[in-house]
């Protein structure tokens, strides 16, 4: 009996010791998460000054310049203090959620896959199919100087190819206009393979590298053969070119389009002419080997030297792609185009939390680069920044982008490739992104100084590298659906992706409504609403009438529906 009681006492002591150890382990784990949260938040609040504005990220909107301390953030997180700074409360909750989810093995369903894969996979590329005879190009020569950055220039090239076929003209290899904004001297041959371009389109149009000698000496302006963008309406119909440009071409044998860009309508346009534009964009324009090689390095390093290439690598980097195969989970990465350069910010007429100093700086930029917008603002009643925000007309701020990614369920250790030029506000504006997602890198981080040196001072060539890395990514997220880079990247992924290359295209109006509840919304509700808003924008639909084939290639001119599934047109 005594032995039995002794045995029971020993068992109770062991259970008590085990319980105490479990409580201790739980306490240590809880302390780790708390320390992780405070470390992440401290990185957010310790940002440096924004270049040119002397601002700090998460600075109080009041006149006080005292930064929020962790204790204050804790109170904000519990709702005990009124909100003073943009998204501080939600950023706190996002940091907490990321720390909690860091070691979970599962992620939300459809995060890394196309939720409507079956329908998306029915559409396959077919714009390379031709049914017409080559154009002799004997009505004269067309020269073109395209404006804008690389993405606007790409659209211009495809448009002018279609115009050349329409007018039965010979196209001279395009020139690119020097821009005071982009400050890039790159020409067509510095970005794309000229000989490949000429040979691939030979069954469609005749292309030469320069004018014949007898025409090169002509004063085109004197004879009236220079056509500027002011002479052509935006998205002009084919009938305009047949009526106004063809007679001029037949008379002078040469026409030079200066400042040419988005000057050919998406609809109505003859079926095979539309297919030619698709063929030019998705097949004829191949980056130079120098760009392909550097782009392959970016993708390789983002995937940490995975054995196989992604679905689109061969189309993007050609001979520099690895053997095609399935990318394992541990090698996946997210491409993010954060459209937040100063030109975009200034043109939007929105506020971004910088107060009077920010407004003065953006106004000064507009007066130099957008004088027409300044005049419009001075003479016309424009919507208030709050109205623009609510209507989804403002670009997402970096703080909003990181909240969207965290709300969607991306883990803290997700590898993110950040595309874009100089972010307005500098590195400090990216503090929220780099703190909550520390594995975020840019092309400048991934390439050595010697590898990136050939591209420095050539913004278009640097943008081509961003195009490759974003297009090849396992998931691509944009912050502004109106961006040309984002549009071209998403269209390329649709065209070649076979329904396996998901794109996150946020509805900024819906997101604005969610962000407006920053002071009261709980994180679980925030996650649910963000995921619903993004998923709704992933629906598969055919190209709406009048919309770009470069962005929406799901149409019979560009892609063939293998199962003849009729997709609805999405209203404009």
């Amino acid at each position: 009996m005594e032995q039995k009681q002794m045995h029971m006492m020993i068992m109770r002591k062991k259970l008590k010791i085990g319980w105490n150890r479990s409580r201790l382990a739980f306490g240590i784990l809880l302390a780790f998460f708390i320390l992780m949260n405070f470390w992440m938040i401290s990185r957010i609040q310790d940002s440096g000054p924004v270049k040119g504005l002397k601002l700090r990220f998460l600075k109080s909107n009041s006149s006080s310049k005292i930064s929020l301390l962790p204790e204050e953030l804790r109170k904000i997180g519990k709702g005990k203090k009124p909100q003073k700074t943009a998204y501080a409360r939600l950023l706190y909750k996002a940091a907490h959620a990321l720390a909690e989810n860091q070691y979970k093995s599962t992620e939300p369903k459809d995060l890394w896959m196309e939720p409507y894969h079956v329908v998306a996979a029915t559409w396959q590329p077919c714009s390379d199919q031709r049914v017409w005879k080559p154009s002799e190009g004997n009505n004269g020569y067309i020269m073109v100087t395209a404006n804008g950055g690389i993405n606007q220039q790409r659209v211009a090239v495809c448009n002018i190819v279609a115009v050349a076929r329409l007018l039965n003209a010979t196209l001279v290899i395009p020139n690119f206009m020097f821009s005071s904004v982009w400050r890039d001297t790159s020409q067509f041959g510095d970005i794309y393979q000229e000989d490949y371009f000429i040979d691939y389109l030979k069954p469609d149009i005749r292309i030469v590298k320069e004018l014949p000698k007898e025409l090169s000496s002509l004063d085109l302006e004197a004879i009236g053969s220079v056509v500027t963008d002011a002479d052509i309406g935006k998205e002009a119909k084919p009938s305009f070119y047949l009526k106004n440009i063809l007679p001029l071409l037949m008379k002078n044998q040469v026409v030079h389009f200066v400042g040419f860009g988005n000057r050919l309508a998406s609809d109505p346009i003859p079926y095979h002419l539309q297919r030619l534009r698709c063929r030019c964009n998705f097949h004829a324009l191949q980056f130079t080997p120098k760009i392909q090689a550097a782009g392959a390095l970016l993708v390789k390093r983002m995937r940490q030297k995975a054995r196989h290439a992604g679905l689109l690598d061969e189309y993007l980097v050609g001979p520099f792609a690895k053997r095609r195969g399935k990318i394992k989970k541990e090698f996946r990465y997210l491409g993010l185009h954060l459209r937040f350069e100063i030109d975009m910010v200034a043109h939007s007429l929105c506020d971004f939390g910088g107060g009077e100093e920010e407004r003065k700086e953006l106004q000064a930029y507009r007066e130099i680069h957008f004088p027409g917008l300044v005049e419009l603002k001075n003479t016309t009643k424009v919507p208030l920044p709050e109205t623009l925000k609510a209507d989804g007309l403002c670009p997402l701020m970096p703080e909003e982008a990181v909240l969207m990614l965290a709300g969607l369920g991306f883990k803290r250790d997700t590898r993110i490739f950040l595309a874009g030029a100089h972010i307005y506000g500098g590195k400090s504006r990216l503090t929220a992104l780099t703190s909550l997602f520390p594995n975020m890198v840019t092309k400048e981080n991934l390439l050595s100084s010697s590898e990136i040196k050939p591209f420095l001072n050539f913004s278009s060539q640097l943008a081509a590298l961003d195009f490759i890395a974003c297009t090849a990514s396992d998931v691509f997220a944009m912050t502004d659906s109106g961006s040309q880079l984002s549009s071209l990247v998403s269209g390329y992924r649709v065209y070649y992706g076979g329904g396996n290359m998901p794109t996150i295209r946020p509805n900024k109006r819906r997101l604005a409504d969610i962000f407006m509840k920053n002071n009261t919304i709980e994180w679980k509700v925030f996650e649910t609403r963000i995921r619903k808003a993004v998923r709704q924008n992933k629906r598969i639909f055919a190209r709406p009438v009048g919309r770009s084939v470069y962005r929406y290639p799901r149409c019979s001119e560009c892609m063939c529906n293998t199962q003849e599934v009729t997709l609805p047109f999405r209203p404009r």
Side-chain angles (χ1 to χ4, degrees), residues 177-196:
M177 181 180 290
F178 179 82
S179 167
S180 60
V181 176
W182 303 104
R183 295 187 174 278
D184 189 353
T185 58
S186 297
Q187 288 301 317
F188 186 92
D190 298 314
I191 301 171
Y192 303 109
Q193 298 178 36
E194 285 189 354
D195 291 336
Y196 183 90

Side-chain angles (χ1 to χ4, degrees), residues 288-303:
T288 60
K290 181 180 77 170
I291 292 175
Q292 287 183 335
L297 277 179
L298 291 175
V299 175
K300 176 182 177 181
R301 289 168 185 171
M302 284 304 301
R303 294 205 181 109

